[in-house]
Amino acid sequence: MDSWIFHSPIFEFDGTKPSIRQHSAWKGHAKFAYDLVQFVKPKKIVELGTHFGFSFFCFCQSVKDHNLSCECFAVDTWQGDPHSGLYSNEVFDTVHEVVQKHYQKEAKMLRKSFDEAIQNFEDNTIDILHIDGFHTFEAVLHDYNTWLPKVSIEGIVLIHDTEVRIQDFGVYKFWEGIKQQLPSFEFIHSHGLGVLFPKGCNEKFKSVFSDLTNLQNHYSNE
């Protein structure tokens, strides 16, 4: 059975655009994302909500370093929303620049709404789906329900901001409900990250669940 490996990767995008890490609420999950991709060896990763691309580039770096046959899709309008604020084309241009410099083979950018982009994917084909769009309860529920048919049989759904309880953020409400129904684990640092197995858990994850506290402690100290 495959064993989980803790890596100490070098993220190439840090050298090009260090400000991406500095301003990311996701930075505490970088090494987990990297290690997860190496462990799962997915064929397709889709991220809903990319902004400046920190989490997306973590996935891409692992795919690149381990020479995986995997497509990584970033889905975003790159226009912003009421939570992140509206922004100029600078954000899209920054992500595009990093992709062109470091991840041309791994990364594909879809500048569309989530509902528009779903037509680009077949059912049961996404091995890792990262939901990090508009953060109201209604929005995350819609994104999850809409994209669930696209997730593969042993696919994983990552849900960010499960610990944020400000304004009208409602991801935590969604997470509190769904984690009672399905195999899952979570990290409470860096705004919270839920790891969900909506259609069943791969056998290889038994070893991960059996040593879950060690896993959570390792990444929370990064």
Side-chain angles (χ1 to χ4, degrees), residues 4 9-10 77 86 129 143 152 156 162 217:
W4 189 277
I10 295 173
T77 62
L86 301 179
L129 176 69
D143 294 341
S152 62
I156 297 167
T162 55
N217 287 341

Side-chain angles (χ1 to χ4, degrees), residues 31-105:
K31 290 184 178 181
F32 169 73
Y34 184 96
D35 294 345
L36 177 69
V37 170
Q38 188 277 330
F39 185 71
V40 174
K41 297 176 175 58
K43 298 293 185 184
K44 190 168 292 181
I45 300 170
V46 175
E47 175 170 271
L48 305 180
T50 295
H51 200 201
F52 274 109
F54 182 84
S55 52
F56 182 64
F57 297 145
C58 293
F59 300 135
C60 291
Q61 190 70 60
S62 190
V63 169
K64 181 177 183 178
D65 289 352
H66 297 101
N67 197 29
L68 301 179
S69 178
C70 177
E71 296 177 298
C72 302
F73 292 89
V75 181
D76 204 314
T77 62
W78 281 281
Q79 294 176 340
D81 61 40
H83 287 155
S84 65
L86 301 179
Y87 38 80
S88 69
N89 221 44
E90 176 194 357
V91 180
F92 174 84
D93 291 342
T94 298
V95 177
H96 185 261
E97 179 185 344
V98 173
V99 166
Q100 291 303 304
K101 185 165 185 178
H102 298 297
Y103 309 114
Q104 284 192 50
K105 179 182 175 184

Side-chain angles (χ1 to χ4, degrees), residues 4-24:
W4 189 277
I5 300 172
F6 296 125
H7 296 85
S8 296
I10 295 173
F11 294 102
E12 295 173 72
F13 67 90
D14 280 331
T16 302
K17 295 287 183 180
S19 60
I20 293 176
R21 178 183 292 270
Q22 291 166 10
H23 299 120
S24 176

Side-chain angles (χ1 to χ4, degrees), residues 24-27 29 48-49 51 81 83-84 130-137 140 158-166 168-176 186-195:
S24 176
W26 222 87
K27 57 190 173 187
H29 305 301
L48 305 180
H51 200 201
D81 61 40
H83 287 155
S84 65
H130 177 217
I131 299 176
D132 198 12
F134 193 40
H135 286 66
T136 64
F137 174 81
V140 70
L158 303 178
I159 302 171
H160 190 228
D161 288 314
T162 55
E163 288 294 312
V164 180
R165 292 171 172 80
I166 60 172
D168 59 346
F169 277 62
V171 179
Y172 74 94
K173 296 178 184 177
F174 171 80
W175 180 248
E176 286 300 319
E186 62 190 302
F187 300 97
I188 62 173
H189 67 287
S190 285
H191 295 221
L193 183 70
V195 183

